[in-house]
Amino acid sequence: RAIGNALYGLQDITSDTVGVKELCLALADKIIQFKGDLNGQDIGIGIYGLQGMSADLPEVRKLVNTLAIKIRESEAEFDQQALSNALYGLQSMSSDYPEVLALVSVLATKIGESQPQLCAQAIGSALYGLQKLSSDAFEVRTLVATLAEKIETSTDSLDAQAIGNALFGLQRMKSNSPEVRALLQAVANKLTSIEVKLDSKAIGSALYGLNNMNCDSAQVRSLLQALANRISTSD
């Protein structure tokens, strides 16, 4: 629990803060020496605490890689809180770095092995955290495919905030990927089954997240139609 709590405490600290480089290196050394097994809550709140950290710093990447190693060794499963916390914490991490992709890969595996029922907030937070991840990377596409399955089986209805957050997180995803198209269809299916009004923030966030999507895709058109229906009934 100490590792999770320590990293969780960093949530309001950004990677350009004085002393962060040294702190990341010190934490990486302590984590790699840890002989225990990280549980789902530790993993979730630990990565959640990194939400302001950019992987542009090699010291942050070392910490990220260390976490990936320890998570791969863990036998823990994720509940919806651990899943959404972990992915939300990736929001400042670019998939341009192999250390980030290593973490994405182990998280995709953990999520696939777990059986959480995702609520609206969990869906919104999880997808929001993907905003710097590109579907050009195989590891990201694997994660996206796993999330599409979890969203498809969720019985919870999305609210305006969840819709805006979820689609905003897809801004580096491209619809030429079948995994991304499956995720778009899962979200579109959710939108067509609800009667929710979208405020201006939700509308702006949702549409911004589609900037790399091509309307040649039937799934993109389906999502756009569902969004149009929700927007037309909103104030």
Side-chain angles (χ1 to χ4, degrees), residues 134-148:
S134 169
S135 57
D136 290 340
F138 169 78
E139 295 85 350
V140 174
R141 296 196 301 274
T142 302
L143 175 60
V144 166
T146 303
L147 289 173

Side-chain angles (χ1 to χ4, degrees), residues 188-201:
N189 293 342
K190 286 289 184 189
L191 287 176
T192 57
S193 65
I194 58 174
E195 296 291 337
V196 63
K197 294 185 177 182
L198 303 180
D199 57 22
S200 59
K201 182 178 180 181

Side-chain angles (χ1 to χ4, degrees), residues 58-97:
E59 294 83 2
V60 172
R61 296 199 299 273
K62 181 176 181 181
L63 177 58
V64 165
N65 193 58
T66 301
L67 282 171
I69 292 169
K70 298 304 290 186
I71 294 169
R72 187 178 295 112
E73 295 171 351
S74 170
E75 297 182 359
E77 290 194 4
F78 285 171
D79 58 17
Q80 65 170 345
Q81 191 68 56
L83 184 157
S84 62
N85 280 344
L87 295 185
Y88 186 85
L90 297 179
Q91 62 186 266
S92 297
M93 302 283 181
S94 169
S95 56
D96 295 341
Y97 299 103

Side-chain angles (χ1 to χ4, degrees), residues 93-134:
M93 302 283 181
S94 169
S95 56
D96 295 341
Y97 299 103
E99 296 89 347
V100 175
L101 292 178
L103 181 57
V104 167
S105 179
V106 296
L107 289 176
T109 299
K110 282 294 177 193
I111 293 168
E113 293 171 348
S114 303
Q115 301 297 324
Q117 271 292 322
L118 299 184
C119 67
Q121 182 181 0
I123 292 171
S125 295
L127 295 187
Y128 183 85
L130 308 185
Q131 58 191 268
K132 290 191 178 297
L133 303 182
S134 169

Side-chain angles (χ1 to χ4, degrees), residues 10 13 24 37 47 104 126 128 190 200 217:
L10 304 180
I13 297 176
C24 285
D37 194 25
I47 301 176
V104 167
Y128 183 85
K190 286 289 184 189
S200 59
S217 161

